[in-house]
Amino acid sequence: MQMVREELSLEWSDVAVQAARNLGLDTSPAYVSDEHWQRILASVEIRMRMRGVEAPVGWREDLAARFCRDERRARPEPDEDFSGCQSDSDEGGYDGPES
């Protein structure tokens, strides 16, 4: 039986951007070093667990692909257009639970 991977919500991307900012990084997670990316992933995992969200299968790979960090293709340079990837803007992202 093959497991179907569910689509990663935008909340995961927003948490990754917040984690990068909290680590003092002034760029999108798409452009950080591999070492910083690992720190962002660890932070995202902890933050989502604290929110009571269970990590879906393959979430690290899906988040990497969302920021164009997947291993199948080279990361874009900061001046390249990567419109298919998640930006580091808060516009249109997850705003948290409704009050």
Side-chain angles (χ1 to χ4, degrees):
M1 185 169 139
Q2 183 180 15
M3 291 187 68
V4 176
R5 283 170 60 163
E6 58 186 81
E7 186 173 336
L8 205 59
S9 73
L10 288 177
E11 180 181 10
W12 290 81
S13 301
D14 291 342
V15 169
V17 169
Q18 292 168 9
R21 287 180 186 154
N22 288 345
L23 290 169
L25 305 172
D26 60 352
T27 188
S28 167
Y31 305 119
V32 300
S33 69
D34 291 339
E35 292 82 5
H36 283 124
W37 177 246
Q38 292 305 313
R39 292 181 67 191
I40 289 170
L41 289 176
S43 180
V44 167
E45 185 172 25
I46 291 167
R47 289 167 189 244
M48 295 305 284
R49 191 178 318 132
M50 288 173 49
R51 293 178 182 192
V53 178
E54 185 177 331
V57 172
W59 73 271
R60 289 177 185 87
E61 294 83 7
D62 292 346
L63 191 60
R66 186 166 291 166
F67 286 105
C68 291
R69 293 189 62 91
D70 58 338
E71 314 307 33
R72 293 181 301 271
R73 57 184 273 199
R75 280 185 278 163
E77 292 300 318
D79 60 342
E80 286 185 40
D81 176 31
F82 68 119
S83 57
C85 302
Q86 181 75 28
S87 73
D88 62 350
S89 124
D90 291 332
E91 194 172 305
Y94 179 75
D95 292 330
E98 293 185 28
S99 301

